[in-house]
Amino acid sequence: MQRISLAVANWKMNGTLAEAKRWAEDFAPVAPALEGVETVVCAPALHLPLLHASLPESVRLGAEDVSAYTNGAHTGDVSAAMLADAGVDWVIVGHSERRAEAGDTDERVLEKARRASEAGLSTILCVGETLEERRAGSTESVLERQLVSVLSGLKPGELAALAYEPVWAIGTGEAASPETAQAVARHLRGLVARHWGEERAARLPVLYGGSVNEKNAAQFFACPDIDGALVGGASLDPERFGHIAKALKARH
Ligand code: 13P
């Protein structure tokens, strides 16, 4: 079953406007070599209009988060419609940093996914267990709760990709082993199949995220259930992110 390959940069809260512009310029020569890989840059909301104007056309724009509300009195929020208006195609919901720092619950993550879908954005849902949860043997139940609470409130067409991001692997330099990532990706795909059927599950891209770099990326892309990566730190350097995206292209 053919699934799209996705190389997604998540810059998090990094970079000035000048740095964002330079990143786009430096990445431009790499972009033509990435045909067949959906390449997405998720950046701080303030940087999105500038990136929309400066990224090569083949590179898609993504937001790191979206409001759970449509519009109105929600100080500090950015709505899905505003993102779409700024040229955004993709959005991340449920990132562990939003869950931990901004208090995003499964219920709120579902509302965010709904708003994104209403605005025509493609949603990447992040799930992942903490080290304590893994040590306690509750990885599967945590992932199931995070995934099913969102799946059960959406239609199959309303989710574009899943990302497995174990919290203990994010920003630590300690990526999950490809075996662990593959086993979880398969488990997640099985849960999707149970809710939305085999066909939808077989077509849903599943990404791995957590200390992915230009050296370890190819190992993940060799896994049958892993269709790409969500890259934090290494994506701040266009050359490193380019190597990762090229490794994904090479798997075709
Ligand atoms: P790192 O690649 O820096 O570990 O971050 C992963 C991540 O959280 C991407 O969303």
Side-chain angles (χ1 to χ4, degrees), residues 48-63:
L48 294 171
L50 171 85
L51 283 169
H52 185 53
S54 26
L55 280 173
E57 228 166 85
S58 61
V59 178
R60 303 270 160 243
L61 195 56

Side-chain angles (χ1 to χ4, degrees), residues 4-243:
I4 62 164
S5 297
L6 262 173
V8 185
N10 176 10
W11 288 358
K12 309 191 179 182
M13 197 171 70
N14 288 294
T16 62
L17 287 171
E19 284 165 340
K21 188 155 196 297
R22 199 169 327 120
W23 195 104
E25 286 162 3
D26 290 348
F27 195 72
V30 182
L34 299 175
E35 205 189 319
V37 173
E38 177 88 351
T39 306
V40 184
V41 175
C42 298
L46 264 183
H47 295 15
L48 294 171
L50 171 85
L51 283 169
H52 185 53
S54 26
L55 280 173
E57 228 166 85
S58 61
V59 178
R60 303 270 160 243
L61 195 56
E64 299 174 7
D65 188 33
V66 62
S67 177
Y69 304 99
T70 309
N71 70 329
H74 305 287
T75 302
D77 268 16
V78 176
S79 75
M82 290 170 182
L83 295 174
D85 186 45
V88 167
D89 290 312
W90 287 83
V91 65
I92 298 170
V93 300
H95 193 284
S96 60
E97 286 151 16
R98 301 300 307 175
R99 292 179 192 264
E101 296 174 5
D104 279 9
T105 58
D106 292 323
E107 293 71 27
R108 194 188 294 166
V109 173
L110 169 60
E111 288 308 312
K112 289 181 172 199
R114 284 182 167 147
R115 297 299 86 73
S117 167
E118 287 159 9
L121 303 176
S122 296
T123 300
I124 302 170
L125 170 65
C126 294
V127 296
E129 81 286 5
T130 63
L131 189 58
E132 294 68 35
E133 288 162 342
R134 175 158 281 270
R135 286 194 174 136
S138 49
T139 297
E140 292 203 350
S141 61
V142 168
L143 297 175
E144 178 163 358
R145 192 205 73 228
Q146 292 176 340
L147 178 61
V148 171
S149 53
V150 176
L151 283 196
S152 54
L154 294 179
K155 296 189 200 76
E158 293 183 308
L159 189 65
L162 267 179
Y164 171 51
E165 293 213 312
V167 179
W168 46 270
I170 294 176
T172 60
E174 298 284 336
S177 69
E179 293 75 22
T180 298
Q182 162 58 26
V184 171
R186 176 150 296 177
H187 176 64
L188 294 174
R189 201 179 293 290
L191 292 170
V192 175
R194 214 159 75 200
H195 284 265
W196 284 343
E198 291 289 344
E199 200 180 321
R200 180 68 193 116
R203 286 189 170 277
L204 188 70
V206 179
L207 316 182
Y208 168 74
S211 297
V212 174
N213 59 42
E214 63 282 18
K215 296 194 182 78
N216 63 18
Q219 293 173 278
F220 295 107
F221 303 152
C223 298
D225 281 286
I226 296 178
D227 306 300
L230 186 47
V231 187
S235 77
L236 296 173
D237 179 340
E239 198 179 329
R240 295 180 72 195
F241 184 64
H243 283 305

